[in-house]
Amino acid sequence: MLGILQIMPEDATAWNKSEIAHTNPFTRWWNNIRSGPTWDKDKAIFNEILHPYAGAAYYMSARSQGCNVWQSLAYCAFISTVFWEYGIEAFNEIPSTQDLIITPLGGLIIGETFYIIKRHIVDHDYRLWGSKPLGYIVAFICDPLNECLGYIRGNRAHGSAGRRGLVKDSGISMTFIPMMKSSPVSGISSGFTISLTI
């Protein structure tokens, strides 16, 4: 995402490309962190559409892995504020006040709606209004991260008899399975499993 934003015109992102090119990135990051948050003047498509959708994607990445509403909101808030606004994006601009609010709250509202829609689609064998292609498209729009991971690690709901590996028809298969578990005692833990079969 940062790469896409980097190549967009300056009037779309409101990033000062001259400063970005001539200032040490960590100096820029520190200056932006100390200066913010501030009310940004980004275009409405970023603030009112893309940020809430990104929040919904963050929310769904946790919710679809078994987290409840509040755990998913906490995950979405952490990713959108610490990782994105004060992390990656702070290399290019001062953290935005409205993004700190709109992304997690939009993520909660839109994300939980997406969760309900996706559960309906999955419960009906990836069919929406009787159409499997429409079901796949809407499921991807609602939960792009987990849908992509489902294709990589194999998802029985997508019609495969078993898990599909990344390497096919060669006698070698590799499966990558990200995991996120919640427990009332230990909180949220995450990790991954890589399985290589020769």
Side-chain angles (χ1 to χ4, degrees):
M1 182 55 75
L2 183 62
I4 292 169
L5 291 171
Q6 198 73 29
I7 62 173
M8 292 181 76
E10 190 172 314
D11 65 336
T13 61
W15 291 354
N16 185 333
K17 299 279 177 108
S18 174
E19 181 189 352
I20 290 170
H22 296 98
T23 307
N24 176 292
F26 293 102
T27 301
R28 262 193 343 259
W29 178 81
W30 181 246
N31 290 339
N32 288 339
I33 293 298
R34 287 187 314 164
S35 301
T38 186
W39 197 264
D40 75 30
K41 294 182 173 69
D42 289 351
K43 293 190 173 188
I45 190 167
F46 288 102
N47 284 337
E48 280 79 39
I49 297 173
L50 295 179
H51 275 279
Y53 181 76
Y58 303 148
Y59 179 92
M60 281 295 288
S61 66
R63 191 79 166 100
S64 291
Q65 294 296 318
C67 293
N68 66 29
V69 171
W70 304 114
Q71 291 166 334
S72 301
L73 174 61
Y75 176 81
C76 172
F78 176 80
I79 294 295
S80 66
T81 58
V82 176
F83 180 75
W84 184 255
E85 284 296 317
Y86 281 94
I88 293 172
E89 197 172 40
F91 282 98
N92 296 311
E93 71 177 6
I94 297 169
S96 161
T97 302
Q98 65 263 48
D99 293 348
L100 292 169
I101 298 166
I102 290 172
T103 306
L105 290 182
L108 169 64
I109 295 163
I110 298 168
E112 189 59 24
T113 303
F114 281 176
Y115 180 75
I116 292 165
I117 292 168
K118 186 175 178 195
R119 292 283 31 102
H120 174 80
I121 292 168
V122 171
D123 290 345
H124 290 86
D125 191 31
Y126 270 82
R127 292 182 191 278
L128 183 60
W129 296 315
S131 169
K132 221 166 191 179
L134 181 60
Y136 283 130
I137 290 166
V138 173
F140 179 81
I141 291 168
C142 289
D143 192 11
L145 179 63
N146 285 304
E147 284 300 300
C148 288
L149 290 175
Y151 279 104
I152 292 170
R153 69 181 184 215
N155 183 340
R156 292 173 192 258
H158 289 176
S160 59
R163 293 206 159 125
R164 290 183 292 217
L166 293 175
V167 182
K168 299 178 183 175
D169 301 328
S170 63
I172 300 172
S173 75
M174 183 173 78
T175 306
F176 174 80
I177 305 172
M179 298 180 304
M180 182 179 291
K181 295 183 180 180
S182 61
S183 160
V185 177
S186 62
I188 298 174
S189 60
S190 61
F192 61 89
T193 302
I194 296 177
S195 172
L196 180 65
T197 306
I198 300 175

